[in-house]
Amino acid sequence: MSLTLPTNYGNHAKTSNLVENWIIQLGYNEAFDQALDPDDDSINLVNDGSFDAGDTSVTVDEGSAFTAGDYIKVDNEVIKVTNISSEVLTIVRGQKGTTDADHANDSKIYFDNYTGIALSDTTVSEVFYHGVVTNEPRIRTSVDVFKSKASSSQISISLVNFDYQGSAFSEEILYGTRNYLNRTVKIYSQLNNDATLTNCLQIFHGRLVDVSHDNDRITLSVVEQRPWDFIEIPNQRTVNANNSLGVPTYFPIAYGDFSANISHEDTPALCHALLSGQDTNLYPIPVHTYDTEEFICLVAESDTSNSSNSAHSATPHWYEPNIDAFIPLLGSDGDTYMDNTTSYQGGNAVKAPLDMYRAFKFKPTALASDNTFTEGDSGYDAFDTASGASATALNTSTLSNHPTEEAAEGGNLLNGQVYSESAHGYWNMPSIDGKITYCKLHISGRAQISALGSNITKTLYVKANDFKGDADGLTICQVLSGGTTSDGTIIYKDFGDANTVGETSAVVGTYTSGDLYHSTNFAPTNLHIIANYDWDVGSSNNKANAGGLCYVGDIHYDVRSKLVFDSTNMTANLEKLNKVKMMYSGANGLNKSYNGGSGTATKGHHVHRDMLYRYSGWDAHDDDIYNWDENINIESVKSAWTIAWWQLEPRPLKEILEQLQYEMGFWFKWRSDGTGSYWFVKNSYSSGDVSQTFTKEDISKLSVRNTSWKDLVTYYDVEYKRHPARESRYLKSLESSDTTNNFRTTYNIQTKENKKSVKLDMNVGAIGAANAGGGNPNDGFTNYYLNLSGKVRKIISFQIVNPAVGYNLETGDIIQFSSTGEEMPVKPFGHEWNESGSQYYMIIELQRSRGLINIKSLEVG
Amino acid sequence: MANLDIGKPRFFCDAVGAHIKKGLAIATEYPVAAASLAIQNGTIAELYDGRPMNTIDFNTSATTNGHILLNYDFSTGTSVLRNFCAILNHNLFSADAKIRIFFGTSEAEVQTIDGGAADAGDYTWDGSNLCVEVLNADAVSVAADAKSCVVKPAEDGSTIFTFPNTNLRFVGIQIEGTRSEASVNAADGLFDASNDVELGSVMLGAYYDMPHSPDMTLTRSIMFDGVKVRKSMGGQKYGLATNIGKFTSSAQQHPPFILGSSNEQHEFMGRFAYDLAFSYIQNTDLMPAELLTQHDATKGSLHDDSQRSFVLDVWNQTIGNLLPFIFTFDKSSVGDDAEGDYIFARFDQSSLDMNQVAHKLWNIRLKIIEEF
């Protein structure tokens, strides 16, 4: 890690006593940009199959991009353009200390337009830098590891309002013949008057944003490049052109590996938001408009080659609020309505049927106040809630709801008497949008009867209302003992078993009704299950007791529903159509559009990089992004940190990128040469990670302190996985602390103290563990931040006065302090400098000025 | 001179820069002539910005038989005396180039290459009326047509030469090739085909000699200002400077008055400064006869001693400490190996305090500090 110094620069730095000059390239016009075609911003390349050394002209794709006097760079050669005739440039070769060379056809062309200023007059690579800077600029960079955010302060450069080419430089810098504002500014450190630019170290890459001047002084304000400034996303709207439908609407942004719920006529299924093992992976898709047949819903990305009735279908889903379920919309054939996205008004869309036809299952919940079914040993929880349910199958493994009924006499039963008892169970029938046109009941469970004594004929009927007015129109189960059962025999019967003869062992079965809708007088109402017990005591004496049990394991309604536009419902349903503003889709999120990327962006750092390119235009090859797939290697370490996130209304890109960094536990920063880099705190550090080890001979102004108490967070209460339809609601949660090291006890933190609530909108793949101390920091969000903020850490601040050991450093680098002899003047608190587990420090703040590096470092391992 | 001994000082002040600063002209009124090669990199104004390290160049390597012709018009009303020319930080030796100078009474007389249109009758160059080397102007020769004089530097670096006083309004300075030339004064030479001509600054004006040497008690300093020394907790010291004077590692750059052949190992760094007192200066050496009417012929010519004075020819030409100038503490030090006696400097004071110590006798004190 750390900056790679040019060889000669590094050798200069080792001399300790230095002549250091800062040289500044103030880019103008196209500055250092790649040449583009002004008409369509396409890449403007060398279009000359024999562009050889010595040629005084070259043909390019588009000559109008250039102006006489421009300097351009092809490969490593700087070339001056002296004339343009159509696509042919007249040129002077080998400028600015570069060598005239052959160049291939289709070589990229970059501009190299800048004016040089410096702290002291100097000529570097044949370019004169006016020594007009009067202050000592300071470059301050920092990183907040607790928020995963890197920043760089504004640099102020004061210079003499000098005579530049016959006029005051203030006349040149703004409203002159060249444009400098918002152009790239590069700052280099030149050591010992080295006259070659490649031997100088670039220490800053930014843009000129503000200029002020008086008669004799100019002040330049330079900031780090911030391509994300002023950008809000989403920013792509539908095209409101002739014959286009709808008002301009933003296409949604969605990132993640989304998938559809699978529920159709042939295989209806539960579609609750939170199903065991297959939580909702949908994102909201705004309804742009509808015509006489279909809704048109805007989606984030083109997603084709899908198959119907599968997780890989883009079909819109309808949200049923009363059962918190997302139901795929179907065509009249009973299959998913539209599986592939289609191009639409500059983006992509999927369509949905106006009748919102759906086939699905849902679960009722018990009406406890009227229910004579009592809770079993495990309570109602064992009766599947939505979060524990299988999408398709009824739960037959756990049975807990049951009525326990016994013959009422309590003591011995009387000869010749018939005893009857009954139990009632009530489950609700949630309101479903549209008209139910098909309805079946699926009830799993079993019943059993028993008696202490012989010659008792036992009968148990389990029945339910049939949604057409008959309270016991559905027979779910019946158990008949006959008259010959012996004392103590238990007779079982599973639901749905047509055989009326009971079994001698417990089996759970499922009762499935016929289509209740096709019966007459269909009127959905709450489900009422009745268990009727009869004990017919024979003529013998000593009949001790009799009892019965009815277990209900699970209940599903299996329905089909749609809007019916008949004369009765037309008006109401048309009003309903107007109110439909949102549907939901499992179509793929946005692809990795950046250099070398392909497929859906599903990981946090992939999404970050895609956003940088897609919305701010910054891009680079993997190899040119520091720490991408080498060094600390974010690509490998953060591979499990997956995302599911969407944004429907514009929001600042900068804010989104910072949120993404925080939730995914990494930060992006510009390096001093203007390239991008990704950083995070590793699981552990070793000597191989150390960029520099310091002694007291290298530094001054040493300060040791602990991290602020306000930054200490020892317990996280995390909500994550956003609910697609309900704002500020989350489907999952995790409470996490480090119970292995138990720093809460160490720091005397009381039970309810120091608990931080966090809502994660993006991170769905790496949340952490309940005991963060039991895993690695990069296992998940809570592990990562509890590692950093879960205990008091040391902060070491100091000033590097020995340039030989400081000029290669940047924030994020790991440093150490010598533990040998008296090479450090004081120990850090009660620790040794090489204290096991507390000896590696990350640079979190670095201020560079000429000859001095101020460092603040945080103990990270 | 040996050991940088102090003699009678001389100031070389640039009239071009002074004209521009006084608003009498703008830089573009000192153009390259139409017959000249155009500037390849830079602008004409950068020749007169007082910063020799800021060079301009001409694509002479591509047009080896071309000419660089600089024209000067000092206008009628400001026909100030001129007697020296300095070209600072050039590479004329490497570029196979020499300097040709000529004068005229009309613009056309100096716009033709080789001084071909100059009127020998207006200014007669001959064996006794020719340029004289001050620094790095080794070969001097009058043209065969007596319309110009040629100066040929022996090295890259800076060149100063003088010529007999003139107040002719128009001046032409031509840079031309030397390769394959028939003779020094011939106009048939070619530029080098590899090295383009680079020029830092051109100064044209009148030098002024102090009437006598400064007082014995003077101060010479060699400063390494701006050096900071920092100390670590362990006591180790680290030095840091922004620059250390005239040194430049760029082969193309030669700060005044370092020559291209200078042994870098023996170059002297640091910034020279002088604190000089001049006592008992005659009033006529200090102030002109008429401060505001020097151009009134009835009050005497500018050539006259009654008008030439320190205030007119130095303090007014440099506009106090606004403009740099060339300074030597011993005007007799010229020719080979005299470069060390010259500095490119400016006054380190904004006020010229003149103390009368006897009737018509004045004391002044000058602080002079090197630019680099």
Side-chain angles (χ1 to χ4, degrees):
Chain A
M1 290 191 279
S2 74
L3 300 175
T4 302
L5 301 182
T7 304
N8 284 4
Y9 187 92
N11 291 333
H12 285 311
K14 290 172 186 170
T15 61
S16 295
N17 298 300
L18 290 173
V19 179
E20 182 175 4
N21 188 17
W22 281 15
I23 63 175
I24 302 168
Q25 296 176 342
L26 300 174
Y28 60 78
N29 297 348
E30 294 84 357
F32 305 93
D33 295 346
Q34 185 171 4
L36 304 175
D37 183 336
D39 294 333
D40 58 10
D41 280 350
S42 61
I43 304 297
N44 199 349
L45 302 170
V46 168
N47 189 5
D48 195 329
S50 57
F51 184 21
D52 299 328
D55 289 351
T56 56
S57 66
V58 61
T59 303
V60 297
D61 287 342
E62 179 54 55
S64 65
F66 304 94
T67 305
D70 275 341
Y71 288 92
I72 58 175
K73 194 170 185 180
V74 180
D75 300 324
N76 290 320
E77 182 188 357
V78 177
I79 297 165
K80 185 175 184 180
V81 178
T82 58
N83 191 46
I84 300 102
S85 176
S86 295
E87 322 309 340
V88 178
L89 311 182
T90 305
I91 51 177
V92 182
R93 309 294 299 273
Q95 299 287 291
K96 300 185 179 180
T98 61
T99 303
D100 191 2
D102 297 345
H103 303 289
N105 189 27
D106 289 337
S107 293
K108 293 177 181 175
I109 306 170
Y110 293 88
F111 288 93
D112 196 53
N113 291 328
Y114 61 86
T115 297
I117 59 175
L119 272 64
S120 174
D121 272 1
T122 189
T123 299
V124 178
S125 291
E126 300 182 10
V127 175
F128 179 70
Y129 293 78
H130 304 265
V132 293
V133 177
T134 58
N135 67 333
E136 286 269 14
R138 289 179 168 77
I139 300 171
R140 181 180 176 278
T141 54
S142 61
V143 55
D144 184 343
V145 296
F146 303 109
K147 295 178 180 173
S148 292
K149 188 163 66 173
S151 61
S152 169
S153 63
Q154 175 176 290
I155 299 172
S156 181
I157 303 170
S158 299
L159 51 142
V160 177
N161 193 1
F162 66 109
D163 189 2
Y164 179 75
Q165 298 186 344
S167 302
F169 193 58
S170 54
E171 297 177 25
E172 164 79 6
I173 195 77
L174 188 60
Y175 304 131
T177 54
R178 303 182 181 102
N179 294 312
Y180 289 84
L181 210 58
N182 196 33
R183 267 55 174 197
T184 297
V185 174
K186 296 181 180 179
I187 303 178
Y188 290 83
S189 166
Q190 176 202 32
L191 295 185
N192 294 344
N193 287 299
D194 198 303
T196 304
L197 188 61
T198 52
N199 292 337
C200 300
L201 176 67
Q202 188 178 349
I203 54 177
F204 188 76
H205 186 106
R207 284 178 176 267
L208 177 66
V209 291
D210 287 309
V211 185
S212 64
H213 76 93
D214 56 23
N215 58 316
D216 65 356
R217 200 171 73 159
I218 299 173
T219 301
L220 308 178
S221 296
V222 181
V223 299
E224 196 175 58
Q225 56 180 323
R226 296 171 181 162
W228 43 73
D229 273 355
F230 314 121
I231 296 171
E232 292 195 337
I233 59 169
N235 53 14
Q236 184 190 1
R237 293 179 290 275
T238 54
V239 181
N240 191 18
N242 290 339
N243 302 318
S244 294
L245 292 170
V247 296
T249 304
Y250 292 104
F251 285 95
I253 290 171
Y255 282 103
D257 186 14
F258 298 102
S259 58
N261 287 334
I262 302 171
S263 182
H264 50 97
E265 276 190 8
D266 290 345
T267 311
L270 292 178
C271 298
H272 288 91
L274 195 58
L275 287 175
S276 176
Q278 55 179 85
D279 312 322
T280 292
N281 276 317
L282 303 167
Y283 69 91
I285 51 174
V287 175
H288 184 221
T289 187
Y290 66 92
D291 56 21
T292 56
E293 296 178 351
E294 299 168 309
F295 291 105
I296 300 170
C297 308
L298 308 179
V299 296
E301 181 64 281
S302 171
D303 184 12
T304 57
S305 303
N306 294 316
S307 52
S308 64
N309 303 330
S310 74
H312 300 289
S313 168
T315 196
H317 293 55
W318 177 248
Y319 179 61
E320 292 282 359
N322 293 317
I323 54 174
D324 193 20
F326 295 87
I327 321 296
L329 296 178
L330 308 175
S332 57
D333 59 359
D335 295 329
T336 42
Y337 183 77
M338 184 172 185
D339 300 305
N340 297 321
T341 63
T342 183
S343 296
Y344 177 74
Q345 294 197 16
N348 296 284
V350 288
K351 298 177 181 178
L354 292 186
D355 66 2
M356 297 196 290
Y357 180 46
R358 291 147 286 148
F360 60 104
K361 292 179 179 177
F362 61 90
K363 292 171 60 65
T365 52
L367 297 172
S369 60
D370 297 325
N371 217 328
T372 58
F373 274 50
T374 57
E375 294 184 20
D377 294 341
S378 302
Y380 282 115
D381 289 345
F383 178 89
D384 278 348
T385 61
S387 61
S390 158
T392 53
L394 285 163
N395 188 346
T396 57
S397 62
T398 304
L399 300 167
S400 293
N401 283 354
H402 58 94
T404 304
E405 297 295 337
E406 294 183 351
E409 296 302 317
N412 290 339
L413 303 179
L414 301 177
N415 293 343
Q417 293 295 313
V418 176
Y419 295 87
S420 296
E421 296 293 340
S422 63
H424 302 268
Y426 297 92
W427 286 266
N428 69 355
M429 173 67 166
S431 174
I432 301 299
D433 271 325
K435 181 179 180 180
I436 293 177
T437 60
Y438 176 94
C439 181
K440 282 187 176 180
L441 266 174
H442 301 269
I443 305 172
S444 73
R446 62 179 169 82
Q448 67 184 60
I449 53 177
S450 63
L452 296 175
S454 58
N455 296 323
I456 301 175
T457 301
K458 300 175 282 286
T459 306
L460 167 58
Y461 289 97
V462 181
K463 297 188 176 183
N465 55 332
D466 62 0
F467 296 164
K468 62 174 186 175
D470 187 348
D472 56 0
L474 303 177
T475 299
I476 298 167
C477 176
Q478 57 183 353
V479 187
L480 305 175
S481 69
T484 58
T485 51
S486 58
D487 183 13
T489 299
I490 302 174
I491 303 170
Y492 303 91
K493 189 75 177 189
D494 54 310
F495 287 1
D497 187 350
N499 191 342
T500 57
V501 178
E503 295 113 5
T504 55
S505 60
V507 177
V508 176
T510 299
Y511 164 81
T512 300
S513 74
D515 178 6
L516 304 178
Y517 170 74
H518 291 293
S519 302
T520 56
N521 303 322
F522 177 73
T525 183
N526 291 339
L527 177 63
H528 179 196
I529 295 178
I530 311 159
N532 289 319
Y533 304 85
D534 288 334
W535 295 274
D536 186 354
V537 183
S539 57
S540 302
N541 291 323
N542 300 320
K543 311 302 180 299
N545 207 338
L549 295 173
C550 178
Y551 294 87
V552 176
D554 208 351
I555 301 172
H556 287 179
Y557 294 104
D558 175 0
V559 300
R560 297 170 189 170
S561 177
K562 64 181 179 181
L563 300 183
V564 176
F565 296 92
D566 55 18
S567 57
T568 304
N569 300 297
M570 180 65 77
T571 301
N573 284 341
L574 286 177
E575 283 182 10
K576 192 175 191 67
L577 295 183
N578 283 327
K579 292 177 182 175
V580 175
K581 301 299 181 189
M582 198 70 68
M583 292 199 187
Y584 307 87
S585 175
N588 285 340
L590 289 165
N591 289 329
K592 291 176 277 189
S593 59
Y594 51 80
N595 192 338
S598 64
T600 306
T602 59
K603 299 169 186 175
H605 56 289
H606 290 170
V607 171
H608 191 277
R609 198 172 149 190
D610 184 71
M611 283 187 181
L612 282 176
Y613 174 62
R614 187 184 293 274
Y615 302 114
S616 75
W618 181 83
D619 197 8
H621 189 271
D622 289 0
D623 295 342
D624 298 324
I625 300 176
Y626 193 63
N627 289 334
W628 182 256
D629 54 6
E630 56 182 1
N631 301 319
I632 63 174
N633 199 341
I634 192 172
E635 181 74 333
S636 168
V637 176
K638 297 288 184 178
S639 61
W641 294 58
T642 53
I643 189 172
W645 175 78
W646 56 87
Q647 184 68 32
L648 305 180
E649 292 298 322
R651 187 179 157 208
L653 175 62
K654 177 174 183 286
E655 193 178 293
I656 293 169
L657 290 171
E658 288 178 351
Q659 180 184 352
L660 180 58
Q661 291 180 179
Y662 174 64
E663 292 197 17
M664 299 297 175
F666 67 81
W667 64 92
F668 175 87
K669 73 160 189 167
W670 303 111
R671 304 189 86 200
S672 60
D673 60 359
T675 58
S677 60
Y678 285 90
W679 301 77
F680 55 89
V681 177
K682 290 174 59 175
N683 291 337
S684 62
Y685 290 95
S686 64
S687 58
D689 297 312
V690 176
S691 296
Q692 194 63 55
T693 300
F694 293 98
T695 74
K696 64 183 179 184
E697 299 297 341
D698 305 318
I699 64 174
S700 66
K701 298 183 179 178
L702 177 71
S703 163
V704 182
R705 68 178 179 85
N706 64 298
T707 47
S708 172
W709 189 257
K710 68 179 173 56
D711 291 332
L712 188 75
V713 179
T714 56
Y715 193 105
Y716 275 95
D717 180 1
V718 181
E719 291 182 84
Y720 64 101
K721 201 165 179 53
R722 277 166 88 190
H723 194 293
R726 298 199 169 179
E727 196 68 26
S728 303
R729 292 290 181 271
Y730 297 81
L731 297 173
K732 291 193 168 185
S733 64
L734 171 72
E735 294 188 44
S736 178
S737 62
D738 182 352
T739 54
T740 299
N741 298 298
N742 206 6
F743 293 115
R744 290 176 64 83
T745 302
T746 305
Y747 302 131
N748 190 30
I749 295 171
Q750 302 304 306
T751 305
K752 295 184 178 180
E753 290 179 346
N754 200 251
K755 293 184 174 182
K756 184 172 184 176
S757 296
V758 176
K759 293 175 171 55
L760 301 182
D761 291 344
M762 299 170 166
N763 185 349
V764 294
I767 308 304
N771 174 20
N776 289 317
N778 283 291
D779 286 351
F781 177 87
T782 60
N783 290 35
Y784 184 82
Y785 287 104
L786 283 171
N787 173 55
L788 288 170
S789 62
K791 71 170 187 174
V792 172
R793 292 182 174 276
K794 301 188 292 289
I795 292 178
I796 314 293
S797 302
F798 58 99
Q799 193 172 64
I800 304 173
V801 293
N802 180 5
V805 296
Y807 276 26
N808 62 331
L809 298 176
E810 62 181 321
T811 56
D813 278 350
I814 300 300
I815 57 175
Q816 271 191 307
F817 299 88
S818 174
S819 58
T820 303
E822 300 299 319
E823 288 190 345
M824 286 299 289
V826 66
K827 293 198 296 185
F829 298 116
H831 277 172
E832 298 295 335
W833 285 109
N834 62 346
E835 187 82 14
S836 177
S838 302
Q839 59 178 311
Y840 297 102
Y841 297 84
M842 175 177 281
I843 297 174
I844 58 173
E845 193 173 307
L846 187 150
Q847 178 177 287
R848 180 188 291 269
S849 58
R850 207 172 50 87
L852 274 184
I853 310 283
N854 286 296
I855 298 281
K856 181 192 276 188
S857 61
L858 172 73
E859 168 211 330
V860 290
Chain B
M1 286 298 109
N3 306 115
L4 274 64
D5 290 339
I6 305 296
K8 191 182 289 185
R10 173 176 284 181
F11 294 86
F12 295 86
C13 301
D14 180 25
V16 178
H19 273 221
I20 293 171
K21 294 307 170 192
K22 289 174 182 174
L24 301 175
I26 57 176
T28 51
E29 290 175 347
Y30 303 106
V32 290
S36 170
L37 292 171
I39 296 171
Q40 179 174 239
N41 287 302
T43 62
I44 191 67
E46 290 168 270
L47 272 186
Y48 312 115
D49 60 4
R51 291 184 296 134
M53 305 306 289
N54 182 24
T55 59
I56 66 171
D57 62 68
F58 300 81
N59 192 8
T60 53
S61 61
T63 312
T64 56
N65 63 347
H67 301 76
I68 300 167
L69 180 52
L70 307 173
N71 282 169
Y72 300 88
D73 175 1
F74 288 93
S75 76
T76 305
T78 56
S79 54
V80 183
L81 175 70
R82 284 166 296 281
N83 57 19
F84 87 92
C85 175
I87 300 180
L88 306 181
N89 187 23
H90 64 71
N91 69 337
L92 297 182
F93 178 74
S94 299
D96 287 346
K98 61 188 177 186
I99 306 159
R100 182 183 298 270
I101 187 166
F102 39 92
F103 307 114
T105 55
S106 70
E107 191 172 23
E109 290 182 357
V110 296
Q111 288 181 325
T112 303
I113 60 169
D114 304 332
D119 187 345
D122 294 334
Y123 191 93
T124 304
W125 297 97
D126 57 31
S128 59
N129 216 32
L130 74 172
C131 297
V132 176
E133 177 190 25
V134 177
L135 295 177
N136 192 25
D138 295 63
V140 174
S141 180
V142 174
D145 60 5
K147 293 180 178 180
S148 60
C149 185
V150 176
V151 171
K152 188 173 177 181
E155 297 196 52
D156 293 342
S158 296
T159 293
I160 308 173
F161 58 90
T162 61
F163 45 82
N165 290 346
T166 181
N167 62 354
L168 289 180
R169 176 176 167 179
F170 297 95
V171 180
I173 296 176
Q174 175 177 292
I175 311 295
E176 62 190 67
T178 63
R179 191 156 50 85
S180 305
E181 64 185 1
S183 62
V184 171
N185 64 350
D188 58 351
L190 301 174
F191 288 115
D192 179 68
S194 300
N195 296 303
D196 289 335
V197 167
E198 293 188 16
L199 304 176
S201 289
V202 173
M203 297 173 71
L204 199 57
Y207 61 79
Y208 180 79
D209 296 336
M210 293 303 288
H212 54 73
S213 300
D215 296 353
M216 291 297 290
T217 54
L218 57 81
T219 303
R220 171 191 286 140
S221 306
I222 304 176
M223 303 186 300
F224 289 96
D225 49 332
V227 174
K228 296 175 182 174
V229 177
R230 296 184 171 110
K231 192 165 74 173
S232 72
M233 300 180 79
Q236 178 70 42
K237 290 183 177 178
Y238 300 92
L240 179 73
T242 310
N243 70 68
I244 51 175
K246 292 177 280 288
F247 175 78
T248 173
S249 57
S250 171
Q252 286 76 37
Q253 294 282 26
H254 304 95
F257 289 89
I258 293 174
L259 298 178
S261 64
S262 295
N263 186 335
E264 291 180 357
Q265 304 300 321
H266 296 156
E267 281 182 2
F268 276 92
M269 303 299 118
R271 193 191 305 273
F272 275 79
Y274 290 91
D275 188 349
L276 307 174
F278 293 86
S279 299
Y280 309 109
I281 295 181
Q282 285 288 337
N283 60 339
T284 54
D285 291 327
L286 191 59
M287 302 295 288
E290 294 292 342
L291 186 64
L292 300 177
T293 56
Q294 306 98 13
H295 305 297
D296 183 347
T298 63
K299 303 297 182 183
S301 162
L302 288 174
H303 300 263
D304 296 343
D305 288 343
S306 62
Q307 293 294 351
R308 299 216 66 196
S309 61
F310 179 80
V311 167
L312 177 67
D313 289 330
V314 179
W315 192 248
N316 190 46
Q317 285 293 80
T318 62
I319 315 177
N321 61 351
L322 179 64
L323 297 176
F325 52 85
I326 298 167
F327 174 73
T328 177
F329 43 80
D330 183 0
K331 69 174 187 176
S332 66
S333 177
V334 296
D336 292 348
D337 304 326
E339 286 81 9
D341 295 345
Y342 288 75
I343 59 174
F344 188 65
R346 76 172 67 215
F347 289 113
D348 193 17
Q349 62 194 74
S350 57
S351 169
L352 177 65
D353 298 325
M354 297 167 276
N355 299 313
Q356 183 169 274
V357 292
H359 182 58
K360 296 186 179 180
L361 292 175
W362 297 77
N363 290 356
I364 62 171
R365 185 175 176 185
L366 302 178
K367 293 183 178 179
I368 296 166
I369 188 165
E370 192 175 15
E371 282 287 88
F372 302 100

